[in-house]
Amino acid sequence: MIAWENLDTLSSYKKLLSLKGQVSLANVLGSSDGAKRVAEYSIPMAAGLKYNYAAKQVDDKVISVLKELAEESQLIEKYEALYNGEVINTGEKRMVLHQLLRGQLGKDVIADGVNKREFYINETKKIADFAEKVHNGQIVNEKGEKFTDVCQIGIGGSDLGPRAIYLALENWAKANDKFKMNAHFISNVDPDDAAAVCSSIDISKTIFVLVSKSGTTLETLTNESFVKDFIKAAGCDPSKHMIAVTSETSPLAKSPDYLAAFFMDDYIGGRYSSSSGVGGAILSLAFGADVFADFLAGAAEEDKLATEKDITKNAALMDALIGVYERNVQGYPSTAVLPYSQALSRFPAHLQQLDMESNGKSVNRFGKKIDYVTGPVIFGEPGTNGQHSFYQLLHQGTDVTPLQFIAFKENQTKKDVIIEGSTSQKKLCANVVAQIVAFACGKNNEDPNKFFAGERPSSLIYGNKVDPKTIGALLAHYENKVMFQGFIWNVNSFDQEGVQLGKVLAKTVLSGNMEGALEAYAKLLID
């Protein structure tokens, strides 16, 4: 029997509180056993990745209590309930089925009169068939010309995840003869965003992917109208240049305004939708359906590893538990995600939404106020750029910020240069190693301006290179980490009422039915 309990009622959590501040990173990494710790505090992930937590402020005693917390919180049992179709999204009274998009875990889930596993697999096959027809010239523009570009119109989860994954694989695809079409993205309702994209592409050879589950998203529909004007101005028929990714019940589903429509449902949250047609359409068009299939395979492999009960063999679970220890015991307010790979330049932006929209909650699953902190602030930029930007605060600021480094041994293009005896890629990796040790161990100096206290904890996810399977595994790792942390905090990680409030008020402003401060602020910006 699963019990949903607040964190501060658990005996293991109370035991964990007594262990605050007992591990010195300078001591454990700087000792003769430092190398042994680095080797042992490592967990294999899917697609050849590894998660290393040697530079975290934990030891065997802390890990033992974290294991108790995982068991007392019934984290694996709750994960099993989720992927087997129990109603986990209590706010909206819905199942949570994004793992099922990968087609692997659990039993068949029947909802709305259909087998959801088969439904998701069939939609992926439909997208693959459509993409193949575009690539081989069976689907062309009005002049009989092949489409060369694809542009996604969406916002939030309809943009951030797919954009991050496309950028992650663009150079890899070009280097491995997998690049099919240039991809572009329009998200911001600011007209300068759509205008900049539309002015930079050949409209007549572009397919636009409109993504809106409800078919009513204000920003997306506004941008659709904007784009249609560009299409018409180019002498083209918008209905020959647009496809929709939406739900079967939305007004977009059977509209003659689109070449085709591909479906998702209410059991797939926007920030968890990259494995659905939201990511599948644009990624299959850009790189081919086989690349998207490999991406799903990497995610599915990582999902399976997340079912492991032993936390020392489950990277997502260990990452989640240490994150809770840092947030609720150590009192750290934020986490920096630092990918030392230009391919992952937009990955931190996706993780901001994934984590902060999921676990930025102050009531539990049953709407009761909680008395402990939940999700941290997530931010980040690629290294080494960040080193010349905000690392000053990370090294010497008054707040300690836990760090998550992501690094790869090889670059994607296989092009490099040797300067002063080493390649650029080796220099990049050397910076990762140096930063981990510098943050952990610090540096003594009589000059206070040059003194580094250290004791800044970090983890490292690393592999050989960024490819479809590794980016799928990486995405699933963070999705599962966020899920486990939501379970521990006893919050609903799958609704986002804070997003809805702003949408409602914006419509009120546009309607003109305002008063008080809302009206006063509107007068500052709107005639």
Side-chain angles (χ1 to χ4, degrees), residues 357-373:
E357 195 169 275
S358 294
N359 290 337
K361 309 292 172 63
S362 56
V363 298
N364 69 13
R365 295 168 48 80
F366 310 108
K368 303 294 184 181
K369 189 80 172 65
I370 52 180
D371 296 321
Y372 46 85
V373 295

Side-chain angles (χ1 to χ4, degrees), residues 107-247:
K107 62 186 180 184
D108 288 346
V109 176
I110 308 300
D112 308 323
V114 300
N115 182 311
K116 284 299 174 180
R117 190 194 308 276
E118 293 179 1
F119 171 75
Y120 298 144
I121 290 172
N122 288 338
E123 289 304 309
T124 300
K125 288 179 179 177
K126 283 167 55 180
I127 290 170
D129 182 61
F130 180 85
E132 177 61 25
K133 288 178 180 178
V134 171
H135 295 153
N136 65 25
Q138 287 180 259
I139 296 176
V140 293
N141 70 3
E142 296 98 325
K143 298 178 183 179
E145 301 168 324
K146 291 183 71 172
F147 289 103
T148 59
D149 291 64
V150 55
C151 179
Q152 183 128 314
I153 306 171
I155 197 166
S158 300
D159 169 74
L160 289 165
R163 189 193 295 250
I165 297 163
Y166 171 77
L167 292 174
L169 296 178
E170 182 179 16
N171 281 333
W172 173 87
K174 290 176 178 176
N176 289 274
D177 197 29
K178 293 290 186 179
F179 193 79
K180 307 291 186 182
M181 302 171 72
N182 293 296
H184 315 271
F185 297 84
I186 296 171
S187 59
N188 200 329
V189 76
D190 182 343
D192 287 344
D193 186 18
V197 173
C198 290
S199 298
S200 68
I201 60 179
D202 185 344
I203 294 286
S204 68
K205 295 181 180 179
T206 301
I207 290 179
F208 291 88
V209 184
L210 185 76
V211 183
S212 174
K213 183 162 56 179
S214 67
T216 61
T217 308
L218 179 62
E219 295 95 334
T220 301
L221 296 184
T222 300
N223 278 327
E224 179 193 26
S225 296
F226 195 96
V227 166
K228 282 183 174 179
D229 286 345
F230 268 87
I231 296 173
K232 292 172 185 175
C236 300
D237 178 358
S239 69
K240 304 296 184 184
H241 287 260
M242 303 193 85
I243 64 175
V245 178
T246 188
S247 68

Side-chain angles (χ1 to χ4, degrees), residues 372-450:
Y372 46 85
V373 295
T374 57
V377 172
I378 304 295
F379 68 96
E381 284 289 331
T384 56
N385 298 42
Q387 291 178 205
H388 295 267
S389 174
F390 53 81
Y391 277 36
Q392 169 60 41
L393 183 146
L394 299 183
H395 276 292
Q396 293 182 306
T398 53
D399 279 326
V400 173
T401 300
L403 317 163
Q404 293 207 305
F405 291 95
I406 305 172
F408 300 90
K409 295 179 181 179
E410 302 173 14
N411 66 344
Q412 291 180 311
T413 63
K414 302 175 184 176
K415 297 177 181 179
D416 209 336
V417 62
I418 297 176
I419 299 291
E420 298 181 355
S422 62
T423 64
S424 296
Q425 186 67 26
K426 284 189 177 180
K427 288 180 173 64
L428 183 69
C429 291
N431 272 277
V432 178
V433 173
Q435 290 295 332
I436 291 172
V437 175
F439 279 117
C441 298
K443 182 181 179 182
N444 285 319
N445 197 297
E446 293 182 0
D447 183 346
N449 288 320
K450 296 181 180 180

Side-chain angles (χ1 to χ4, degrees), residues 257-280:
D257 293 340
Y258 306 99
L259 275 167
F262 305 106
F263 302 123
M264 53 178 165
D265 55 39
D266 286 335
Y267 311 118
I268 308 300
R271 56 195 175 278
Y272 298 97
S273 66
S274 293
S275 302
S276 74
V278 174

Side-chain angles (χ1 to χ4, degrees), residues 343-364:
L344 298 181
S345 60
R346 291 296 290 168
F347 197 64
H350 169 62
L351 295 185
Q352 282 180 331
Q353 185 199 18
L354 175 64
D355 201 312
M356 295 167 72
E357 195 169 275
S358 294
N359 290 337
K361 309 292 172 63
S362 56
V363 298
N364 69 13

